[in-house]
Amino acid sequence: MIIITASVHEYLINTLQQKGYKVLYEPQITYEELLTKIENATGLVVTTRLKIDKAAIDKALKLKWIGRLGSGLELIDIDYANQKNIICVSTPEGNRNAVAEHALGMLLSMMKNIDKGCNEVRNGIWLRNENRGTELSGKTVGIIGYGNTGAAFSKLLSSFDVTILAYDKYKTDFGGKMVREVNLDQLCRYADVISFHIPLTDETKYMANEQFFSSLTQKPWIINTSRGPVVQTAALINALEKKLIAGAALDVLENEHLDALTPAQTTQFNYLCGRGEVIITPHIAGYSHEAFLKMSKILLEKLGI
């Protein structure tokens, strides 16, 4: 039996059934409900909604694999799963282009004041000089994390006349004609744009903190399509207030459950929504129609199904 715990493309369900698997499609299943049903599961499909921890794995007596649609395995206790001989696979190849396009779209919207200008026009305000845009051409773009999405973003940027700086603590010798490999200090010093493409770990949580923002010298535009806690919201707000950055495009937030924000988070959220140089989208960067299908296909390929 395969338990699917999130909304997936019908291709995944149909293919599994055609291969003889019994599929339990429970896109709204809670963690507690999963614990009561996982005992007989041989496969588990997840996204970012549920944490698959030691308790869940201990309940899964027959589990052979866990498939993550998308990138990032931080919600899965991989080490413990490996101890139980459970294969864990993710599918960042399936949505890397979607994330890259979304990052580019948000960047251009910020630099050209597209979102800000559109909202003003809808409210009967017609301002031209105040919404004069800035060209991406000629700028220096810094990419933090040069994995699937970072490299895909770099590829899209190659059609612009930009200098690309990339930093990846765990990867070297990836630079080339289009990309210059740099350290983090160099990136913070020279980048006009900084885009985060890293997983959420103990090491990367609040990577963009007060110290990070104070090290910036070019007043860059900030993009985060990775994980919300990579950017410390309080530090980001402080950077906006002190004009250390030109703007921020966020597809992810520290707390994405808007109905469960703390009073402090509500104040922060309202502040960000009120800033014209800030764009927030509801964690949809990697959620294109095409990626929705590709992630399912890649998962099946990696599992050999």
Side-chain angles (χ1 to χ4, degrees):
M1 180 178 71
I2 310 298
I3 301 178
I4 299 177
T5 68
S7 176
V8 301
H9 196 282
E10 60 183 14
Y11 175 87
L12 179 59
I13 301 171
N14 292 340
T15 302
L16 287 171
Q17 290 175 336
Q18 290 169 8
K19 296 290 185 177
Y21 292 96
K22 177 183 178 183
V23 176
L24 182 62
Y25 184 47
E26 296 274 4
Q28 301 300 324
I29 194 171
T30 66
Y31 174 81
E32 291 73 20
E33 290 170 339
L34 178 63
L35 293 184
T36 67
K37 299 180 180 182
I38 200 173
E39 181 179 356
N40 294 314
T42 56
L44 182 65
V45 178
V46 299
T47 54
T48 58
R49 202 171 56 81
L50 298 177
K51 190 170 186 177
I52 308 303
D53 55 11
K54 184 177 182 294
I57 294 172
D58 281 338
K59 289 279 188 179
L61 303 178
K62 300 179 181 179
L63 196 62
K64 296 180 179 179
W65 56 262
I66 302 172
R68 160 77 164 96
L69 294 179
S71 59
L73 293 166
E74 67 271 11
L75 291 180
I76 303 172
D77 190 335
I78 298 176
D79 291 337
Y80 192 65
N82 289 337
Q83 291 177 29
K84 296 286 188 176
N85 295 317
I86 299 170
I87 298 171
C88 299
V89 298
S90 61
T91 60
E93 304 88 347
N95 67 351
R96 61 188 174 190
N97 188 64
V99 174
E101 287 189 3
H102 195 86
L104 179 59
M106 290 198 297
L107 174 59
L108 292 174
S109 183
M110 277 196 299
M111 297 183 74
K112 304 291 186 181
N113 290 316
I114 294 172
D115 184 65
K116 175 177 177 290
C118 179
N119 287 332
E120 289 173 352
V121 171
R122 285 174 173 168
N123 288 295
I125 303 170
W126 190 274
L127 300 174
R128 295 188 69 208
N129 287 334
E130 293 84 349
N131 285 308
R132 190 186 298 272
T134 301
E135 294 184 15
L136 177 56
S137 178
K139 300 299 185 293
T140 297
V141 180
I143 299 174
I144 297 179
Y146 205 71
N148 280 281
T149 62
F153 186 46
S154 173
K155 182 180 179 182
L156 290 184
L157 290 169
S158 65
S159 61
F160 293 85
D161 181 22
V162 298
T163 299
I164 302 174
L165 308 179
Y167 164 72
D168 194 310
K169 183 176 180 179
Y170 297 99
K171 185 179 292 187
T172 57
D173 300 323
F174 57 80
K177 184 178 180 180
M178 291 298 303
V179 181
R180 299 180 187 177
E181 187 178 341
V182 298
N183 60 40
L184 186 59
D185 290 338
Q186 291 170 319
L187 188 146
C188 290
R189 187 180 308 132
Y190 297 112
D192 300 300
V193 175
I194 297 178
S195 187
F196 288 93
H197 299 271
I198 52 180
L200 178 61
T201 64
D202 291 339
E203 190 175 33
T204 62
K205 184 177 181 180
Y206 292 162
M207 182 179 187
N209 54 19
E210 296 283 357
Q211 182 179 356
F212 171 86
F213 287 113
S214 65
S215 72
L216 305 178
T217 60
Q218 302 299 321
K219 193 181 176 181
W221 285 270
I222 302 295
I223 307 168
N224 187 16
T225 55
S226 58
R227 291 292 183 268
V230 166
V231 176
Q232 188 176 31
T233 307
L236 175 70
I237 290 174
N238 185 55
L240 287 166
E241 291 178 336
K242 291 185 176 180
K243 300 188 183 303
L244 301 177
I245 59 177
L250 311 171
D251 183 55
V252 288
L253 298 172
E254 282 193 63
N255 185 354
E256 296 176 4
H257 301 285
L258 301 189
D259 58 348
L261 297 178
T262 66
Q265 289 172 338
T266 298
T267 299
Q268 293 174 339
F269 179 74
N270 290 337
Y271 175 87
L272 291 173
C273 288
R275 300 284 300 216
E277 71 273 43
V278 175
I279 297 174
I280 303 175
T281 54
H283 203 151
I284 54 172
Y287 208 56
S288 70
H289 293 288
E290 292 81 2
F292 198 48
L293 172 59
K294 283 192 287 187
M295 288 187 293
S296 291
K297 287 186 174 181
I298 290 172
L299 177 62
L300 292 170
E301 290 172 4
K302 286 187 173 183
L303 293 171
I305 297 176

